[in-house]
Amino acid sequence: GAGVSQSPRYKVAKRGQDVALRCDPISGHVSLFWYQQALGQGPEFLTYFQNEAQLDKSGLPSDRFFAERPEGSVSTLKIQRTQQEDSAVYLCASSPAPGSGRETQYFGPGTRLLVL
Amino acid sequence: GQNIDQPTEMTATEGAIVQINCTYQTSGFNGLFWYQQHAGEAPTFLSYNVLDGLEEKGRFSSFLSRSKGYSYLLLKELQMKDSASYLCASYNFNKFYFGSGTKLNVKP
């Protein structure tokens, strides 16, 4: 079946521009995670949804970052007034059950954001 | 965040065995994952440990010691396609923490 998809795959933004990154999780997956991965680093947790509820947003680096999952499926990560330090790969992952740490996360291919 | 420590880079020969170590913080710990990530691609799941001991899955095995906050990933019969980054991730206090990854170079 289809895996996790993300769009766009690549995004170049001018500093100060707003961007929206989309994630389509595997159908029926309850949990959805957003991560930020800088070059040569591991993924860093941004936020977690269980269905439409955003249960943890402690990893969002500033109030310029906002995520939503209004119908419990597709999610959007929005970054307002982008800065150069926002340049990274943004990964989305989903898992079939509520997050208990025991479920495998299935990652999408990521959106590579470059802020000039 | 939680400190996950793993070597930055390792090199091994095709057909050999390599062990990638990982240490993590034990407070609030409830699971340890290993992922493989080829350059420019998404991480893919390799293994999961929550109890002490060795989990074997084909050429890959993973070991966990909860008391020591230590895990390793063992790759046997290395193949060229195993060249990738290997990410250790721990689940602590209901959150996933990833290490920076170990870049494995497999040479002919």
Side-chain angles (χ1 to χ4, degrees), chain A:
Chain A
V4 178
S5 61
Q6 293 186 245
S7 61
R9 291 294 313 277
Y10 302 92
K11 177 69 179 178
V12 179
K14 292 182 180 178
R15 191 173 55 184
Q17 185 179 349
D18 296 351
V19 298
L21 313 180
R22 177 187 170 107
C23 172
D24 282 83
I26 293 173
S27 178
H29 275 199
V30 170
S31 295
L32 187 145
F33 304 82
W34 282 99
Y35 294 90
Q36 181 189 60
Q37 187 172 24
L39 190 63
Q41 301 295 313
E44 295 239 2
F45 171 82
L46 293 177
T47 187
Y48 163 64
F49 289 87
Q50 184 176 313
N51 295 308
E52 69 277 5
Q54 189 175 21
L55 298 188
D56 189 339
K57 56 182 181 179
S58 62
L60 296 176
S62 77
D63 59 6
R64 296 186 296 105
F65 286 71
F66 172 77
E68 59 183 5
R69 194 186 185 197
E71 297 178 358
S73 55
V74 171
S75 178
T76 304
L77 176 67
K78 297 179 180 177
I79 309 173
Q80 297 177 322
R81 304 180 304 281
T82 52
Q83 303 293 314
Q84 286 185 318
E85 62 262 29
D86 300 335
S87 296
V89 175
Y90 290 85
L91 293 167
C92 174
S94 69
S95 68
S100 69
R102 296 178 185 272
E103 296 83 32
T104 301
Q105 292 181 74
Y106 297 86
F107 283 85
T111 294
R112 190 175 299 270
L113 174 65
L114 177 63
V115 182
L116 302 176

Side-chain angles (χ1 to χ4, degrees), chain A residues 9 33 35 37 40-43 45 56 58-59 91 99-105 107-109 112, chain B residues 30-31 33 35 37 40-45 48 50 87 91 93-101:
Chain A
R9 291 294 313 277
F33 304 82
Y35 294 90
Q37 187 172 24
Q41 301 295 313
F45 171 82
D56 189 339
S58 62
L91 293 167
S100 69
R102 296 178 185 272
E103 296 83 32
T104 301
Q105 292 181 74
F107 283 85
R112 190 175 299 270
Chain B
N30 198 26
F33 293 79
Y35 285 84
Q37 187 175 29
E41 297 183 12
T44 55
F45 170 80
Y48 166 72
V50 68
L87 301 168
Y91 190 71
F93 297 112
N94 299 320
K95 196 173 294 184
F96 290 96
Y97 296 90
F98 283 81
S100 296

Side-chain angles (χ1 to χ4, degrees), chain B residues 6-86:
Chain B
Q6 52 181 132
T8 302
E9 191 164 0
M10 300 180 71
T11 299
T13 304
E14 192 176 14
I17 299 173
V18 71
Q19 177 175 314
I20 303 174
N21 297 323
C22 169
T23 57
Y24 61 90
Q25 296 211 356
T26 57
S27 54
F29 174 77
N30 198 26
L32 193 290
F33 293 79
W34 284 95
Y35 285 84
Q36 181 191 61
Q37 187 175 29
H38 285 99
E41 297 183 12
T44 55
F45 170 80
L46 290 178
S47 69
Y48 166 72
N49 295 70
V50 68
L51 300 177
D52 286 351
L54 189 68
E55 294 280 343
E56 296 188 75
K57 193 184 289 186
R59 294 190 298 116
F60 293 2
S61 303
S62 56
F63 172 82
L64 181 71
S65 168
R66 292 180 66 118
S67 61
K68 295 181 180 176
Y70 167 71
S71 172
Y72 68 71
L73 179 70
L74 193 71
L75 294 81
K76 304 175 189 173
E77 301 167 18
L78 281 173
Q79 301 176 9
M80 297 300 293
K81 67 179 182 179
D82 298 330
S83 292
S85 277
Y86 291 84

